[in-house]
Amino acid sequence: MLTQEIIRRKRDGEVLSAAEIEAFVKALASDELSEGQIGAFAMAAFLRGMDAQETVALTLAMRDSGDVLSWEGLARPVCDKHSTGGVGDNVSLVLAPLMAACGLAVPMISGRGLGHTGGTLDKLEAIPGYDIQPPPEVFRQLVAETGAAIIGPTGELAPADKRLYAVRDVTATVESVPLITASILSKKLAAGLSSLVLDVKVGNGAFMANIEAARILARSLVDVGNGAGTKTTALLTDMNEPLADAAGNAVEVLNAVCLLRGEKTGSRLESVTLALGAEMLVNSGLAATLDEAGQHVRHALSSGYAAEAFGRMVHGLGGQADFLERAEACLPKAPVRIPVLAGRDGFIDSVATREIGMAVIELGGGRRRTTDRIDPAVGFSQLLAVGSTVQRGDVIGLVHAGDETGGARAASQLAAAYTIGDECPKSCPVVIERICGMAAGIR
């Protein structure tokens, strides 16, 4: 099957067969295609779109281009969650052990920070001794015995996606919804899941700032995930302010620990985590309704069972056995702390969330290049939420910096990111919408 014929058919808006897509991906994975051919295919898909069946075929072909994990014999349903990325989003650190405490298995294979958004692996590496690349047998044993393990990519998962993404990045085709969908799902489904929930962020701190664009992506992910044989639902969640009251690596780990210990009840982070957890229980068949699932996840969190599972996971991957109790003492601390104060009385009206994420990168808590080293201790904590009442001189956030110069710059950036108004803004739900089932067609 000629590659150029496949490209021509997609260029002309024709629907590709599963066999054609499989042939293209096989050639892609075996390094038989030139960058010109890959770029031409990506541009054709970007301009002409791909329907649901084509996107399912692309997803499955990229999934099967490398290792696909099998959990045969595991007594627990295998599930996972994927977030499209945000600021202060440490949901995974709470959700994985929470689901383990509810009886699920969560072999969560995560990534590093991308752009202004933080990466789960970068956060976990702030924990002394935590091994994000354990031997496969350790990973499997921990999932079987504890129910959860969050690690980095294992083996060769979806190698075709890696090459396709590299070309998309330099050919202005990253935004293609079918290609985004196949990229996300091929890697997730390679983990051997029976169900999946997507957290699609929308707002000024998300990659999807527009709710209609977020709906289109979420609909695509749900349709293709289900079409690929994995029970899939999605939640649209608000990212018009940091999800937690911290942004950085060590500070976000501590934030997650505090939630697990019952010290952050009623937070936006808790709301999103519980909602995603309820979806996972229903998708896995361990609860019949979202109401029933919600009761289970709230009990698992409030009872301390989720905290215990987190502690076992951390210890099983090389961290200290008492990390949960001693997180404040164990986590790295920045030498410079600078409070940022409100300049007037009023209410927190809005937050420029992306700018806070970029400020974390400038502090050294993220990467401009893949080779950059991260300072795990830097970031922001005590961030006030939209709607908070403030008086002049109140702390709206605390900078954690490696030196005075960087700290002063970050303090100015944080102050500029906050808008204080005279009236309390209308509150917005953190969970905006639920997307489930299947609809016809993807463009």
Side-chain angles (χ1 to χ4, degrees), residues 80-142:
D80 201 359
K81 154 262 183 189
H82 175 79
S83 169
T84 57
V87 178
D89 179 4
N90 44 83
V91 166
S92 293
L93 277 63
V94 181
L95 185 62
L98 176 62
M99 291 298 94
C102 290
L104 301 183
V106 187
M108 189 175 285
I109 298 173
S110 296
R112 299 197 179 278
L114 178 65
H116 68 281
T117 68
T120 298
L121 293 185
D122 298 324
K123 295 164 192 175
L124 289 170
E125 284 191 317
I127 300 174
Y130 194 104
D131 183 5
I132 64 166
Q133 295 287 355
E137 59 274 16
V138 172
F139 176 46
R140 288 184 170 278
Q141 183 178 1
L142 192 58

Side-chain angles (χ1 to χ4, degrees), residues 168-344:
R168 287 168 56 208
D169 193 37
V170 297
T171 56
T173 55
V174 169
E175 296 87 350
S176 166
V177 169
L179 297 184
I180 292 171
T181 299
S183 178
I184 290 172
L185 291 179
S186 62
K187 295 190 288 288
K188 277 296 176 183
L189 300 189
L193 308 178
S194 58
S195 66
L196 175 67
V197 63
L198 288 309
D199 181 4
V200 180
K201 305 291 188 186
V202 58
N204 64 36
F207 287 109
M208 294 289 184
N210 179 281
I211 193 164
E212 288 304 322
R215 282 195 185 107
I216 290 170
L217 176 58
R219 180 79 266 166
S220 174
L221 289 163
V222 168
D223 285 352
V224 173
N226 284 298
T230 300
K231 174 71 174 179
T232 305
T233 57
L235 298 180
L236 300 186
T237 64
D238 178 70
M239 188 44 66
N240 282 307
E241 59 181 300
L243 184 57
D245 61 7
N249 294 300
V251 291
E252 286 194 51
V253 172
L254 182 58
N255 183 268
V257 167
C258 289
L259 176 54
L260 285 163
R261 295 191 310 210
E263 300 163 14
K264 295 276 185 178
T265 57
S267 65
R268 285 163 46 84
L269 177 66
E270 182 185 59
S271 295
V272 171
T273 303
L274 293 176
L276 291 168
E279 290 287 329
M280 292 171 80
L281 284 186
V282 171
N283 288 354
S284 298
L286 293 191
T289 66
L290 289 173
D291 286 343
E292 177 190 339
Q295 293 175 20
H296 289 322
V297 294
R298 284 190 292 271
H299 174 69
L301 184 61
S302 63
S303 64
Y305 293 148
E308 292 173 10
F310 177 84
R312 290 196 300 271
M313 179 184 77
V314 169
H315 184 48
L317 289 169
Q320 292 176 296
D322 60 351
F323 175 77
L324 187 77
E325 295 79 17
R326 300 185 60 251
E328 291 87 344
C330 295
L331 289 166
K333 297 176 181 60
V336 174
R337 297 191 181 192
I338 301 174
V340 177
L341 309 180
R344 51 164 290 191

